[in-house]
Amino acid sequence: MDGPLVSRYLPCPNPSIRGVGAPMDGLSALLWTARWCQGTLPCVPYRIDISCPPHDALDHLVQLGALDIEPVNDGLAAIIPDGVTPDAVAGALSVASVAVSPAVGRDNGSVWLLSPRAVRIGSVLVAPPEVAAPPDALRLTDSTAFGTGHHPTTALCVEALEEALTIAVPDRVLDVGTGSGVLALTALMMGVSRAVGLDVDADAVKIAAEHARLNNLADRLQLVLGGPDVVDGAWPLVVANVLAAPLMEMAPVLVRRVGCRGRLILSGIPWSLESEVGQTYRRLGMRHIRSETRAGWTVLVAQASW
Ligand SMILES: C[S@@+](CC[C@H](N)C(=O)[O-])C[C@H]1O[C@@H](n2cnc3c(N)ncnc32)[C@H](O)[C@@H]1O
């Protein structure tokens, strides 16, 4: 058996509340282990390894809500959601015990994968550098920056970008909240000449720059630390995958970055806040084109009425 057997992200419309958002360092792993020693329940998903699993282990792990399952050597590894104890896993599998270790939460702890892996979104293949992939794949390292491509907010944005680019390919794109750089780099790979990526997180800006170099796109991507208020000018295509609250807060500035008849793609909006965010932007002159919701997250596509 090769590759994952089951893989899902947590359909939690607030990734920031999931806790671990980065690969664990030594100290975090130690503290994590200490919590187990004190007998408390896990507050983040965790990894289990089972050697010689029973033939129906996969079914039981799926029933327990495993977030990812992979074959390893003579057994199985899985990521178990917090709230399900290792004893419950051992009981369901009829084994004496399971080996427990920390799991890595990617995309701010909302995507739980046993190992980095490729994901296809529309015509775009996002792949870690160590995984075999065609030459036109977008290569992203396993980093702390949001934007692996596995999260629905990113996927919805990539799809909306692809749709926008089938209508017309603008000469430049503005990516607000660039994270790993995934959206700006996708736009460049799809034929947009230049991109500007903004992020308030200095680490994300550094990681996006590394990704631009890795994909030979550094000369076409300009990265700036800050929000839409730190740049001047207007773009024919603007994409912003940040949460609903910052989207509403930055709305008056963000719309000024959208050029004449320009298109704006907004993502990271919990479905329940779609109408509030949509109304905020409509009041500022953005005409609603379409919305799409996946796993509780909505993407809004709008066009400037000016
Ligand atoms: C959900 S991630 C999106 C990453 C990537 N664009 C994607 O689609 O996967 C949101 C990013 O926006 C950044 N961010 C949050 N508020 C921001 C703001 N006001 N201006 C610019 N970036 C912001 C965060 O640091 C984070 O990297």
Side-chain angles (χ1 to χ4, degrees):
M1 286 188 289
D2 269 341
L5 302 173
V6 169
S7 179
R8 20 182 144 143
Y9 48 80
L10 286 171
C12 168
N14 185 356
S16 60
I17 64 168
R18 294 303 310 183
V20 177
M24 267 194 210
D25 57 23
L27 179 63
S28 310
L30 200 69
L31 291 171
W32 187 90
T33 310
R35 281 213 301 274
W36 279 101
C37 297
Q38 288 162 4
T40 56
L41 266 175
C43 57
V44 289
Y46 60 96
R47 174 183 173 128
I48 58 149
D49 283 85
I50 323 152
S51 50
C52 304
H55 72 279
D56 54 357
L58 190 59
D59 292 344
H60 289 301
L61 289 169
V62 170
Q63 275 167 19
L64 289 167
L67 302 168
D68 197 16
I69 307 175
E70 258 181 22
V72 285
N73 304 323
D74 61 340
L76 281 179
I79 299 184
I80 303 296
D82 48 308
V84 178
T85 64
D87 283 351
V89 179
L93 299 181
S94 307
V95 295
S97 64
V98 292
V100 174
S101 57
V104 177
R106 296 171 173 85
D107 288 336
N108 275 358
S110 56
V111 167
W112 294 87
L113 300 174
L114 287 155
S115 51
R117 72 177 65 113
V119 59
R120 178 165 287 286
I121 314 164
S123 68
V124 184
L125 182 68
V126 182
E130 64 276 16
V131 169
D136 62 350
L138 174 62
R139 298 295 192 166
L140 297 181
T141 59
D142 189 22
S143 75
T144 53
F146 194 109
T148 59
H150 289 270
H151 197 276
T153 60
T154 310
L156 284 164
C157 262
V158 170
E159 289 164 11
L161 259 179
E162 191 164 20
E163 184 199 59
L165 298 181
T166 54
I167 300 163
V169 179
D171 62 341
R172 59 219 160 87
V173 65
L174 176 66
D175 176 13
V176 179
T178 197
S180 67
V182 57
L183 301 178
L185 295 170
T186 295
L188 294 175
M189 288 177 72
M190 287 180 175
V192 176
S193 309
R194 284 171 293 130
V196 173
L198 305 175
D199 207 294
V200 290
D201 177 349
D203 287 337
V205 170
K206 255 189 240 160
I207 291 163
E210 272 168 36
H211 287 156
R213 282 192 291 273
L214 185 63
N215 290 280
N216 297 318
L217 293 168
D219 55 339
R220 291 163 57 199
L221 175 61
Q222 184 192 354
L223 290 157
V224 184
L225 180 64
D229 52 330
V230 300
V231 286
D232 287 323
W235 279 257
L237 180 58
V238 178
V239 59
N241 179 14
V242 293
L243 288 169
L247 281 180
M248 287 195 277
E249 204 180 299
M250 68 173 69
V253 181
L254 191 56
V255 295
R256 288 208 294 276
R257 301 290 156 254
V258 185
C260 174
R261 302 283 158 199
R263 193 171 268 236
L264 176 63
I265 298 170
L266 301 173
S267 189
I269 305 164
W271 171 79
S272 57
L273 294 175
E274 176 193 348
S275 62
E276 217 174 312
V277 176
Q279 203 175 45
T280 303
Y281 281 84
R282 266 197 307 280
R283 282 196 187 123
L284 292 164
M286 296 302 305
R287 195 170 53 80
H288 180 262
I289 295 180
R290 72 169 187 95
S291 334
E292 188 178 339
T293 300
R294 189 173 303 155
W297 295 101
T298 298
V299 67
L300 277 176
V301 183
Q303 188 169 30
S305 56
W306 49 91

